[in-house]
Amino acid sequence: MANLEVVNGFIAQVLGAAKQDDGAVWCDEDDRFEIRRGSAECWVAASQTTDGSGIVQVGSAVLRGVPLSKKALKAVNGINSEYVWVRCAWADGMILITRDIPVDVVTADLLVQSCDFIGTIADAMDDDFKALLGAGTPAYDGDPDDDSVEV
């Protein structure tokens, strides 16, 4: 069984969530850490699987408000076939990209690299997907460089 309290403490330490006053990383009421990367909003969350093992998930909603269509599913499949170690899916009107890391192999470097990787993909792909699909909005539709944070 994974001790999620310990895992969340590790995530907070690595991401610097203890310094929430700068707005760079914050934790919501569900113990999900959120990070801004350009026009993307990424999350890091620890959870327990049905078999009791722990997973740290790093993810981002690339676009919200995307109707289900063949084009949307082709775009999702393009991400799945192009990138290793990530999973892209359409769910509830969103195109999501995630990476799951087993708790027993997560390190500070791997966590930071995963946040950077997911954030970079989401930030780079949101405009392309929006143009391709003619629908959807990124997490931040304004100036993506305003208040952006490198993780």
Side-chain angles (χ1 to χ4, degrees):
M1 294 278 275
N3 184 335
L4 297 184
E5 196 172 305
V6 171
V7 176
N8 281 328
F10 171 77
I11 294 169
Q13 181 180 11
V14 171
L15 298 181
K19 299 178 184 176
Q20 294 178 31
D21 56 355
D22 67 1
V25 178
W26 63 98
C27 187
D28 67 16
E29 64 278 353
D30 297 321
D31 289 330
R32 190 167 97 161
F33 297 87
E34 298 188 17
I35 308 156
R36 174 132 176 234
R37 171 68 180 213
S39 60
E41 184 176 281
C42 302
W43 72 81
V44 178
S47 62
Q48 199 158 302
T49 62
T50 55
D51 70 357
S53 57
I55 292 287
V56 174
Q57 185 179 71
V58 179
S60 178
V62 179
L63 283 181
R64 293 177 170 91
V66 177
L68 182 59
S69 67
K70 287 181 183 179
K71 273 187 177 180
L73 295 179
K74 277 182 97 171
V76 163
N77 195 45
I79 292 289
N80 287 330
S81 63
E82 186 174 340
Y83 293 96
V84 178
W85 302 108
V86 300
R87 178 178 59 225
C88 191
W90 180 95
D92 299 323
M94 295 182 286
I95 294 180
L96 303 171
I97 185 167
T98 59
R99 178 170 187 189
D100 293 338
I101 308 166
V103 166
D104 57 345
V105 299
V106 71
T107 64
D109 287 341
L110 181 56
L111 182 57
V112 170
Q113 289 169 359
S114 297
C115 290
D116 188 45
F117 188 52
I118 292 294
T120 299
I121 295 169
D123 185 40
M125 298 304 294
D126 56 7
D127 290 334
D128 292 345
F129 280 3
K130 186 174 180 179
L132 173 71
L133 302 172
T137 55
Y140 297 99
D141 229 356
D143 180 3
D145 293 324
D146 184 34
D147 294 323
S148 64
V149 176
E150 295 274 335
V151 288

